[in-house]
Structures are given as structure tokens and as C-alpha cells.
Amino acid sequence: MTDGYAGYRAQLLETLRAKGIRDLAVLRAVATVPRHLFVPEYLSHRAYDDAALPIGNGQTISQPWIQARTLEAMQLTGRETVLEVGTGSGYQTALLAQLAETVVSIERVRALSDAARAALERAGIRGPMLLVSDGTLGWQPLAPYDAIAVSAASPDVPEPLVRQLVPGGRLVIPIGDLDHQVLTLVRRTQDGMERTNLADARFVPLIGEHGWGEK
Ligand code: SAH
């Protein structure tokens, strides 16, 4: 891509590698997607910092390392159907579009979903289906999913999401209180689920029927 940001993207890749990201498909996706199109224009000079940035409506675009760690844990080969909860800026949606076959992304704030749609279009990414609703309920029409990523902090594992995973499916979700969470890999097994802690994290709250309440 020749957009004047190639050097910054290369630097971000180096940072992610240095912080332990090994999945080549994930690194390739980060090298491909123009992150500066997914942050507010006044922050485009910081788009390739390994940092969370404000995107409006009190929400943030997550730190690239956390996103890369999430994507790695989803173990995608390019053939999967995946669900994302918390579209936000649409950047992780764009990464998912490089890594899976079918991408559904749910956002509760319509203005953010609309902006994400516009950003995806500017980036030339057409595949993902964007929906406005409560993502803690999942989305039954395309279930079951091979993998699900939740980009907002949840008090616990939203049960509908586990139900919408294939056996062996992966759900990556930050679980904890409002100030501190652990990014957690939840694998659906034959008779329940298996949890693995991935990293400490701090996300904005997941607000919905199976997340935090409205207030
Ligand atoms: N991956 C996004 C993260 C955005 S922050 C990015 O990097 O840009 C998390 C997003 O989750 C916010 O936009 C917030 O509005 C959204 N969100 C919170 N609760 C939700 C719910 N129940 N369903 C769908 N989206 C939700």
C-alpha cells in the first residue's frame, strides 16, 4: 500500500513481533489494513502507535497488541464464520475480514456503526456485515460461529455467545470489573467450556442484557 503510512505500519509490525505476536496471518493483516482510516482525523498521526485512542461517543479503538492477541487466540485459517461484538471503529472488523471467510459485527451505538461502515468502504473492504443491536445476545441467523471476539468488558461469559459457538469454537472476551479485566479465551468443549487467561486488559464496558446494565 502506498499511502504515506507504510513506514509507520512497518514499525507497528515490529512492535507487535517484539511483544510476542507470532501468527503470520495476523501480522500480514496488520500490514495490510490502513489503521489511520479508522481513527479520527486529528489523531491520524498516532494511528500506528500501539495504544488505544478515542473514537467518539465515549468509546475507544483498542490497542493493536490486544487486538492482535485476540485474533491470534481465535486461530483463524481463512475459512471461518466469525462474530465480533463491539464494532467500534471497524478496524478489528477489517482485520477479521482478512482472516476469516464470513464476518458479522454488532455494535450498539448506531453512529459508530455508520462511521465504521464508511471507514471500511474507504479502506476498500466490502465483506463484513455490520449490525446495530445488543451483541451480548449474539446473532442467531449465522450461528454457529467458529470464533467470536468481544471488544468490551464483561462481568462474565455471556451465555448466548457460548451457545452460538461450534464445539471447539473460540470466544475471546475481557472478563472482570469495570476497571480491570483479564482477556480470556473460552473454548467450547463437548460438555461445557474451558478458560485460558491471555492478558491483563482494560476495555470500555459491554452494555446489554448479558453484560453490564444501562447505568
Ligand atoms: N474493536 C473496536 C473496539 C471498540 S470499543 C475497535 O477497536 O474499534 C467497544 C465497542 O463495544 C464500543 O463501540 C461500544 O459501543 C460497543 N459495545 C458495548 N456494548 C455492546 C453490546 N452489548 N453490543 C454491541 N456493541 C457493544
Side-chain angles (χ1 to χ4, degrees):
M1 190 165 298
T2 50
D3 57 12
Y5 288 87
Y8 294 103
R9 263 193 304 278
Q11 228 163 44
L12 175 57
L13 276 186
E14 270 322 300
T15 305
L16 295 179
R17 270 203 206 96
K19 290 186 180 176
I21 302 300
R22 291 287 173 268
D23 186 317
L24 289 178
V26 171
L27 291 168
R28 211 176 302 127
V30 173
T32 309
V33 176
R35 194 170 198 263
H36 62 279
L37 298 181
F38 294 86
V39 305
E41 220 171 323
Y42 78 98
L43 288 172
S44 42
H45 65 291
R46 295 193 53 202
Y48 296 94
D49 291 0
D50 189 25
L53 298 170
I55 55 172
N57 289 83
Q59 305 302 325
T60 53
I61 179 172
S62 308
Q63 179 194 359
W65 179 78
I66 277 283
Q67 296 183 318
R69 193 73 194 85
T70 298
L71 295 167
E72 236 181 17
M74 291 170 85
Q75 295 185 306
L76 303 173
T77 65
R79 291 188 297 271
E80 292 80 4
T81 297
V82 301
L83 175 68
E84 176 185 46
V85 176
T87 312
S89 66
Y91 174 66
Q92 185 165 281
T93 321
L95 296 176
L96 282 168
Q98 319 299 310
L99 295 166
E101 184 160 313
T102 305
V103 180
V104 182
S105 183
I106 308 179
E107 170 56 54
R108 67 184 280 276
V109 180
R110 179 170 298 278
L112 291 175
S113 184
D114 289 347
R117 188 185 305 280
L120 286 164
E121 210 160 282
R122 278 198 302 276
I125 296 166
R126 270 177 202 87
M129 186 186 295
L130 302 190
L131 307 171
V132 178
S133 68
D134 176 5
T136 68
L137 300 171
W139 200 58
Q140 197 55 53
L142 282 195
Y145 299 95
D146 298 295
I148 300 177
V150 179
S151 313
S154 182
D156 210 335
V157 181
E159 207 243 285
L161 298 184
V162 180
R163 255 191 283 119
Q164 290 179 25
L165 276 180
V166 300
R170 287 81 60 200
L171 164 65
V172 184
I173 179 170
I175 296 176
D177 58 34
L178 292 171
D179 293 323
H180 174 258
Q181 307 96 36
V182 177
L183 187 68
T184 307
L185 167 64
V186 179
R187 185 183 285 275
R188 181 172 182 173
T189 59
Q190 288 304 340
D191 45 7
M193 51 182 168
E194 196 182 272
R195 296 190 191 202
T196 313
N197 293 352
L198 300 176
D200 287 337
R202 189 167 181 183
F203 281 80
V204 298
L206 179 71
I207 296 167
E209 201 172 315
H210 296 265
W212 297 98
E214 290 286 340
K215 281 187 272 177

